[in-house]
Amino acid sequence: MFKFNFLAYLNISNIKKIFLQISDLIQSILGLFFFKFPLNIYSINNSTELITGTLYAIDNVPNFRLRFWLRRAWSRIITSCPEQYSNTIIPLVTRLSFHLQKRLVEQWSLIKQTQTTDEYEPTEEELIAESTMSLLTRECSYFIVHFILGETFSLKSARRDIPLPITLISRKLMENENVRLGIIGLLAKLITCPDSQAVVKCMPAVTVIVHEYFSTFDEQTSIELLVHSIKSLQMFSNDELATGPLLVLIYDIYSYLRPKYPSLLEVIKQVPTCLPENISTFDTRIMSMLQPEDAKNFDKIKKDLVRKALTSTKSRLHYRKASSETNGGDEELKEME
């Protein structure tokens, strides 16, 4: 008679598979539960602790599993939350956004360190690691777009003459400063990740945030977003799908925020390929506008103006000594990683 040897079955490989299956089930159950019963789960007394508890040991979740947690659990928990219970998920959104920033910067930096020269041949493990990070980065873009614009948003169906609608829950959460800084920081990191698909995917969300919340940006946030946008343009200067939206984004950031923060002019001046006369012409045109709404020119005009101002976008940013208007003249403006 056949006897099943349970102990023999429990080898390391099978144990890992079992835990992965359990993890998948937990992700799906959590996401579906919050999606199906929002008024029940978000209204209980300790809902904030329960929701934040889903981030337990997030630092130990490997990259290839993190994207599934993001898609199946956390994205649904956030987007399913009724507006009146938005306070219950503020800790989750804040911690998650800052963790994703840290994860993207650290992991892409590790991958970059292995690619020492153009002739370097990566190993199979390194190729898998890079592919995994690309998938995770794209998942982060999907997450941020779903959070801000909704799961039904489609770039193909979006009309340029109509402002993109922001979801009620994201509008409510963005009133919180910590959430707002976390989301803006995550978007800044996403557009400088070396994956053009992720950049193109998150561009509508970046544009909406700039248009809707530019009045809340402090000087540091404004500089950081402009620096990341220029750096991204340089990284993807040969990618037509990414270049167009990035040129428009740089124009929008500068036109909305330059009147309030003169230091943005210093950032543009530090791009070594820019011609002083082109920068001066561009800046004069922006400053001659009566109000930020005057910046709503046609996209083609925006692209041409920024392209001419920057002249060449194929080199990396090399920051010179920042002026006293930027940071007191004591520190060097560092490249955002």
Side-chain angles (χ1 to χ4, degrees):
M1 182 177 179
F2 174 76
K3 293 183 178 180
F4 179 71
N5 191 335
F6 184 74
L7 293 179
Y9 175 78
L10 288 180
N11 55 46
I12 297 298
S13 177
N14 287 328
I15 289 176
K16 287 183 178 180
K17 290 180 180 179
I18 291 172
F19 276 108
L20 288 177
Q21 291 172 354
I22 294 174
S23 176
D24 290 343
L25 287 173
I26 292 174
Q27 295 163 12
S28 299
I29 291 171
L30 278 173
L32 286 172
F33 191 76
F34 281 88
F35 177 72
K36 293 291 186 181
F37 308 103
L39 295 179
N40 301 82
I41 188 66
Y42 294 100
S43 61
I44 62 178
N45 292 332
N46 62 337
S47 58
T48 299
E49 289 77 10
L50 290 174
I51 292 170
T52 309
T54 62
L55 294 175
Y56 178 75
I58 186 176
D59 293 333
N60 298 323
V61 179
N63 295 330
F64 75 97
R65 302 306 304 172
L66 185 65
R67 67 189 185 95
F68 294 113
W69 271 100
L70 191 58
R71 180 195 308 171
R72 297 169 180 165
W74 296 319
S75 182
R76 280 195 165 183
I77 291 174
I78 294 170
T79 57
S80 300
C81 181
E83 185 182 358
Q84 63 268 32
Y85 297 118
S86 60
N87 286 340
T88 63
I89 61 173
I90 285 178
L92 171 71
V93 178
T94 303
R95 184 180 170 188
L96 180 60
S97 60
F98 282 105
H99 173 84
L100 292 176
Q101 290 183 55
K102 181 173 178 287
R103 177 79 65 116
L104 290 173
V105 171
E106 290 181 351
Q107 294 300 310
W108 279 117
S109 295
L110 289 174
I111 292 173
K112 182 180 177 182
Q113 289 174 9
T114 64
Q115 301 171 352
T116 53
T117 63
D118 294 337
E119 294 78 19
Y120 176 76
E121 289 291 337
T123 64
E124 183 178 355
E125 290 77 10
E126 290 170 347
L127 288 173
I128 293 174
E130 183 173 357
S131 176
T132 301
M133 271 310 299
S134 291
L135 292 174
L136 175 58
T137 305
R138 293 169 198 174
E139 196 64 50
C140 289
S141 290
Y142 296 144
F143 159 70
I144 206 76
V145 169
H146 292 164
F147 166 62
I148 295 173
L149 300 173
E151 294 186 358
T152 59
F153 170 77
S154 171
L155 187 59
K156 294 181 179 179
S157 61
R159 292 179 55 182
R160 294 184 179 181
D161 57 334
I162 299 178
L164 296 176
I166 298 180
T167 61
L168 293 177
I169 187 61
S170 65
R171 189 177 293 278
K172 186 67 176 178
L173 287 170
M174 290 292 283
E175 295 176 1
N176 181 277
E177 184 178 6
N178 290 330
V179 171
R180 190 167 60 248
L181 290 176
I183 295 299
I184 294 172
L186 177 56
L187 286 169
K189 301 302 186 299
L190 279 172
I191 62 175
T192 48
C193 284
D195 186 276
S196 60
Q197 291 188 40
V199 173
V200 172
K201 181 65 179 178
C202 73
M203 284 304 299
V206 185
T207 302
V208 167
I209 292 299
V210 171
H211 289 177
E212 291 285 334
Y213 297 100
F214 73 92
S215 61
T216 68
F217 290 7
D218 58 20
E219 186 173 24
Q220 180 181 353
T221 301
S222 303
I223 291 175
E224 180 180 356
L225 198 53
L226 180 60
V227 167
H228 277 78
S229 300
I230 295 175
K231 181 180 177 182
S232 181
L233 181 62
Q234 294 174 333
M235 292 172 62
F236 302 107
S237 59
N238 295 323
D239 190 317
E240 294 181 0
L241 291 177
T243 299
L246 284 167
L247 288 168
V248 174
L249 176 63
I250 292 171
Y251 181 95
D252 289 343
I253 293 172
Y254 198 84
S255 62
Y256 279 109
L257 297 166
R258 163 65 176 94
K260 186 177 181 180
Y261 302 119
S263 54
L264 295 189
L265 174 59
E266 300 303 316
V267 173
I268 295 290
K269 287 181 178 179
Q270 291 174 53
V271 181
T273 53
C274 288
L275 298 177
E277 56 270 26
N278 290 345
I279 296 176
S280 178
T281 301
F282 177 69
D283 186 69
T284 300
R285 174 156 184 168
I286 296 299
M287 293 302 293
S288 66
M289 295 186 301
L290 297 178
Q291 52 186 349
E293 284 71 18
D294 292 342
K296 295 179 180 178
N297 296 321
F298 294 110
D299 285 354
K300 185 179 184 303
I301 298 176
K302 294 180 180 181
K303 294 174 187 177
D304 291 342
L305 287 171
V306 175
R307 188 180 285 111
K308 184 176 181 180
L310 298 181
T311 303
S312 174
T313 57
K314 293 184 179 180
S315 61
R316 289 177 58 85
L317 284 179
H318 298 286
Y319 293 110
R320 298 191 292 268
K321 192 75 172 181
S323 70
S324 58
E325 291 179 307
T326 305
N327 56 10
D330 296 325
E331 300 177 0
E332 186 175 349
L333 186 60
K334 297 180 180 179
E335 182 176 354
M336 303 290 182
E337 289 295 339

